[in-house]
Amino acid sequence: MEAVQAAMVSAFRIPDGDRDLVVDLHDETRRIYSPGKSERYTRVEIVGIAARSSAAKRALFQAIADNLEALGVPRNETRIYLIEPPPESWGVKGGIPASEADLGFRIDV
């Protein structure tokens, strides 16, 4: 979890205190993965507002792969999904659409 958080902080420049991470672990009876992958195969799913550049996304994917590799997850056994709802579909600050809120950064969509 810290490996993904550190990547988010470095690539997306979110504050380190901006945390909402969940880990779901599944044993071999609840998981199917491609031939040639091991029990170290790791899928990372991130849901975040559609607001980052392609360069920032590339940096995020690279940082996650680097950080997980340092923990023993082979690079070819890491898959990352970035799910990006549009700003009007993201409620923040007590129920305001992100498209109408001051997020502290510019939305590039």
Side-chain angles (χ1 to χ4, degrees), residues 1 5 9 17 24 27 33 36 38 41-42 44-45 56-57 59-60 63 66 68-69 73 75 77 84 98 104 108:
M1 289 176 36
Q5 177 68 17
V9 169
D24 291 321
D27 67 26
Y33 44 84
S38 74
Y41 173 77
T42 301
V44 176
E45 295 180 12
K57 293 173 193 179
L60 175 68
D66 290 347
L68 290 176
E69 184 176 47
V73 178
R75 295 184 86 76
E77 296 205 21
E84 298 182 298
D108 295 324

Side-chain angles (χ1 to χ4, degrees), residues 8-75:
M8 298 276 295
V9 169
S10 69
F12 279 5
R13 295 179 174 43
I14 66 168
D16 188 46
D18 185 357
R19 293 170 170 251
D20 185 7
L21 288 85
V22 177
V23 172
D24 291 321
L25 299 174
H26 302 284
D27 67 26
E28 64 278 353
T29 65
R30 298 198 53 203
R31 184 172 191 191
I32 298 173
Y33 44 84
S34 299
K37 302 294 183 196
S38 74
E39 70 282 349
R40 291 201 161 276
Y41 173 77
T42 301
R43 182 179 72 216
V44 176
E45 295 180 12
I46 299 168
V47 179
I49 187 171
R52 284 8 186 262
S53 68
S54 292
K57 293 173 193 179
R58 247 187 318 282
L60 175 68
F61 300 153
Q62 185 70 45
I64 290 172
D66 290 347
N67 293 352
L68 290 176
E69 184 176 47
L71 296 173
V73 178
R75 295 184 86 76

